[in-house]
Amino acid sequence: DVKVTQSSRYLVKRTGEKVFLECVQDMDHENMFWYRQDPGLGLRLIYFSYDVKMKEKGDIPEGYSVSREKKERFSLILESASTNQTSMYLCASTPGAMGSTEAFFGQGTRLTVV
Amino acid sequence: AQTVTQSQPEMSVQEAETVTLSCTYDTSESDYYLFWYKQPPSRQMILVIRQEAYKQQNATENRFSVNFQKAAKSFSLKISDSQLGDAAMYFCAYRLSANQAGTALIFGKGTTLSVSS
């Protein structure tokens, strides 16, 4: 059974803190993605990675960075958390030769910045 | 840039009835994939159905079927014999064809479907 696991389901952080959201997949997928989900805005792409140590900006990268030191793990970093980063964060992965293969998602992390 | 539009923020249906969720997209590409994902209150994104743009035949998965109109760039989801468990947020998504590193899904804003007994 394929699996994408996000380290926390709920997280509360203070303004200005450095926040790490972790995502691990066990499917040997090359591609990993971080999305942000807000009511009325759908899912918006923050960053993605197509290989170890490779990363590309998505549509809303400001205030975020990412790290991919190992193939199975993709971390999203909020350098200095702000209240406008309160949101649901979803991690996803796909194989390198995708065909019509869908993306597999983690269960989401609901982050609240106070 | 590719965009996906879901014009119905909310829809409702009675059990056993049929409902159609709308989705349109904008692209200049000819080779791509379209998906419908379901997100129940558990937040886990679940694939409902997929469609390859090169296939003319509409995809079906049990009670779920799509009406894919490539020229009109329309991709609607029909749910037949609706069940209480179908209540969820539904997202339409687009992706370019494979062999492009890191090609990401582009999502619409979602449609919340409620099902009443």
Side-chain angles (χ1 to χ4, degrees):
Chain A
D1 197 17
V2 297
K3 210 151 187 186
V4 179
T5 303
Q6 294 182 227
S7 54
S8 303
R9 197 158 167 81
Y10 298 93
L11 214 50
V12 179
K13 295 293 181 180
R14 294 194 178 280
T15 303
E17 274 193 81
K18 190 169 185 176
V19 181
F20 294 85
L21 303 184
E22 307 286 347
C23 176
V24 176
Q25 49 95 2
D26 64 0
M27 297 166 283
D28 201 36
H29 283 175
E30 282 75 13
N31 305 311
M32 296 187 75
F33 308 86
W34 275 107
Y35 288 90
R36 170 176 171 159
Q37 182 180 358
D38 299 289
L41 297 179
L43 278 73
R44 294 179 291 166
L45 183 66
I46 305 172
Y47 266 97
F48 66 93
S49 167
Y50 54 89
D51 201 352
V52 175
K53 297 191 185 296
M54 305 304 291
K55 60 185 179 185
E56 293 285 344
K57 293 180 180 179
D59 299 320
I60 51 165
E62 297 78 19
Y64 304 94
S65 63
V66 291
S67 171
R68 193 162 180 207
E69 297 296 320
K70 293 185 177 181
K71 190 176 184 181
E72 67 270 19
R73 185 180 298 270
F74 190 36
S75 303
L76 179 69
I77 304 158
L78 286 65
E79 298 289 344
S80 177
S82 64
T83 55
N84 62 13
Q85 293 177 310
T86 291
S87 187
M88 167 85 83
Y89 292 88
L90 288 165
C91 175
S93 73
T94 60
M98 287 181 284
S100 63
T101 303
E102 76 272 24
F104 294 88
F105 284 84
Q107 78 276 31
T109 296
R110 187 173 296 281
L111 172 68
T112 303
V113 183
V114 298
Chain B
Q2 294 87 8
T3 58
V4 176
T5 302
Q6 293 178 249
S7 59
Q8 306 153 317
E10 296 178 348
M11 292 283 283
S12 60
V13 65
Q14 294 225 313
E15 264 188 304
E17 297 295 310
T18 296
V19 64
T20 299
L21 308 185
S22 301
C23 173
T24 59
Y25 58 95
D26 188 23
T27 184
S28 58
E29 304 289 337
S30 60
D31 195 11
Y32 50 87
Y33 301 102
L34 296 164
F35 304 86
W36 278 98
Y37 277 88
K38 170 185 176 180
Q39 187 183 44
S42 68
R43 305 191 324 225
Q44 184 65 54
M45 294 282 275
I46 302 164
L47 178 70
V48 175
I49 200 165
R50 82 188 90 202
Q51 174 79 45
E52 294 89 342
Y54 64 86
K55 288 186 178 178
Q56 291 189 334
Q57 187 171 7
N58 289 325
T60 62
E61 287 287 343
N62 301 312
R63 297 183 295 109
F64 299 88
S65 62
V66 298
N67 183 4
F68 173 50
Q69 303 287 327
K70 191 172 184 179
K73 297 179 183 174
S74 171
F75 182 60
S76 61
L77 174 70
K78 185 170 85 171
I79 306 174
S80 304
D81 186 25
S82 296
Q83 301 175 359
L84 293 176
D86 295 333
M89 176 84 82
Y90 287 82
F91 290 98
C92 178
Y94 161 101
R95 199 195 76 214
L96 282 171
S97 66
N99 303 322
Q100 297 187 35
T103 300
L105 283 167
I106 300 168
F107 286 88
K109 294 182 178 182
T111 297
T112 300
L113 177 67
S114 57
V115 181
S116 55
S117 56

